[in-house]
Amino acid sequence: TMLGVLREVSLDEIREQAETPPRLLIVAPNADEARRLGLAVAGLEGQFATVFRAVDEPIESVGRIDAAVVWDPERTGAGSRVAEALRFESPPVPIVRFDGSGPDDHDAVERLRADIMKRNADRAPAFGRALASFRTAAAKQVIDETAAANAQFSLISNIPTVLPIVGNLAAAGADFIILTKNQVMMLYKLAAVYDRDLRDQRGILLDVLPVVGAGLLWRTAARQAATWLPFAAGTIPKLAIAYVGTMAVGRAADFYYST
């Protein structure tokens, strides 16, 4: 069953996304400030994949971009102009405002990276893989998103338990398959964030195989906890274990790959 779950996980789409370098558009009061902010956000390795514009420059011929950053302290309406210029892009380009005092405002720059990842979650592995400055924010986004998704699925999958015997079996099977798949994909994305060889899928899956075994333990604990409580209350431990278990696995993998 474990090997069957792993075989059903499609990693090629994740690899393709992760290996497509990200591009940013930085709009600031002038070209020099745009370049300074771009270097602060994306680092030296991102300078050739970043388009810089002053707030009074037209936004055209920028090509494919993953996010537009607007720093407009004078409130000139640059955000609206950027949104208008990019309104026909597909997929839609998220526009993120920089609220700091300048490129040296490190806390604001960290918040900006986190905002870019939240608005562009599918591209988090690519940002982390290509730009070292984004790795912390990208890894956090991957883990948080998967933990939240598993908690939501655990909540929904508890509904069939009102059916005697069959409902419990169905919920148990759904929990194991879906939650474990999500965790395996999360760890593959984290491997992408930390620039591992994504074509060595066998090696990465061997790294994460213990997750499948741990998944059995988490699900067993969740089901046992749920049997002690009535239906509505029994949902709570299942949801908590799905969220905390996924978060713990993600944090451990983050530490493993980063060190």
Side-chain angles (χ1 to χ4, degrees), residues 49-66:
T50 305
V51 180
F52 307 104
R53 292 287 188 274
V55 294
D56 57 355
E57 287 185 272
I59 308 298
E60 56 186 20
S61 302
V62 294
R64 179 192 62 81
I65 56 174
D66 294 294

Side-chain angles (χ1 to χ4, degrees), residues 201-239:
Q201 294 184 359
R202 183 175 181 276
I204 293 174
L205 289 178
L206 286 175
D207 278 347
V208 306
L209 187 62
V211 173
V212 184
L216 282 171
L217 181 62
W218 285 113
R219 247 69 82 207
T220 301
R223 288 195 299 274
Q224 186 63 40
T227 61
W228 297 336
L229 298 167
F231 168 67
T235 303
I236 296 173
K238 290 189 68 177
L239 188 153

Side-chain angles (χ1 to χ4, degrees), residues 16 32 35 43 46 48 60 103-104 112 146 148 203 222 226 233 235 237 253:
E16 184 179 347
D32 288 340
R35 186 170 296 276
F48 300 113
E60 56 186 20
D104 296 327
L112 178 62
T146 308
T235 303

Side-chain angles (χ1 to χ4, degrees), residues 121-157:
D122 289 345
R123 298 288 287 144
F127 272 90
R129 187 174 184 81
L131 307 172
S133 61
F134 269 90
R135 280 184 180 164
T136 299
K140 184 178 186 303
Q141 177 59 37
V142 168
I143 296 168
D144 289 352
E145 183 182 40
T146 308
N150 275 0
Q152 292 166 4
F153 181 82
S154 182
L155 176 64
I156 294 171
S157 70

Side-chain angles (χ1 to χ4, degrees), residues 5-211:
V5 168
L6 294 180
R7 279 197 297 267
E8 290 178 13
V9 176
S10 176
L11 303 178
D12 290 339
E13 184 177 349
I14 297 174
R15 177 173 60 80
E16 184 179 347
Q17 274 275 17
E19 292 180 345
T20 302
R23 296 186 76 240
L24 288 172
L25 168 65
I26 307 287
V27 178
N30 56 63
D32 288 340
E33 292 287 6
R35 186 170 296 276
R36 285 185 60 222
L37 180 58
L39 289 174
V41 173
L44 290 174
E45 58 267 76
Q47 60 182 320
F48 300 113
T50 305
V51 180
F52 307 104
R53 292 287 188 274
V55 294
D56 57 355
E57 287 185 272
I59 308 298
E60 56 186 20
S61 302
V62 294
R64 179 192 62 81
I65 56 174
D66 294 294
V69 175
V70 177
W71 178 29
D72 187 19
E74 300 299 326
R75 308 291 183 186
T76 66
S80 298
R81 293 193 295 275
V82 171
E84 177 67 18
L86 300 177
R87 71 186 187 280
F88 295 123
E89 294 296 318
S90 180
V93 177
I95 298 172
V96 185
R97 296 183 183 275
F98 177 63
D99 61 4
S101 59
D104 296 327
D105 188 341
H106 300 297
D107 290 340
V109 170
E110 286 291 338
R111 289 196 302 272
L112 178 62
R113 293 192 192 106
D115 287 344
I116 292 172
M117 293 297 88
K118 287 177 183 176
R119 301 282 300 279
N120 212 343
D122 289 345
R123 298 288 287 144
F127 272 90
R129 187 174 184 81
L131 307 172
S133 61
F134 269 90
R135 280 184 180 164
T136 299
K140 184 178 186 303
Q141 177 59 37
V142 168
I143 296 168
D144 289 352
E145 183 182 40
T146 308
N150 275 0
Q152 292 166 4
F153 181 82
S154 182
L155 176 64
I156 294 171
S157 70
N158 200 50
I159 294 173
T161 58
V162 295
L163 300 175
I165 303 176
V166 175
N168 282 320
L169 290 174
D175 272 4
F176 173 73
I177 294 171
I178 302 300
L179 272 64
T180 302
K181 280 184 177 181
N182 285 348
Q183 289 182 350
V184 169
M185 288 191 290
M186 172 184 70
L187 299 189
Y188 190 71
K189 289 178 182 179
L190 290 173
V193 166
Y194 286 101
D195 202 22
R196 296 302 176 99
D197 180 7
L198 298 184
R199 284 176 169 76
D200 182 21
Q201 294 184 359
R202 183 175 181 276
I204 293 174
L205 289 178
L206 286 175
D207 278 347
V208 306
L209 187 62
V211 173

Side-chain angles (χ1 to χ4, degrees), residues 233-249:
T235 303
I236 296 173
K238 290 189 68 177
L239 188 153
I241 290 172
Y243 181 84
V244 175
T246 303
M247 184 68 70
V249 168

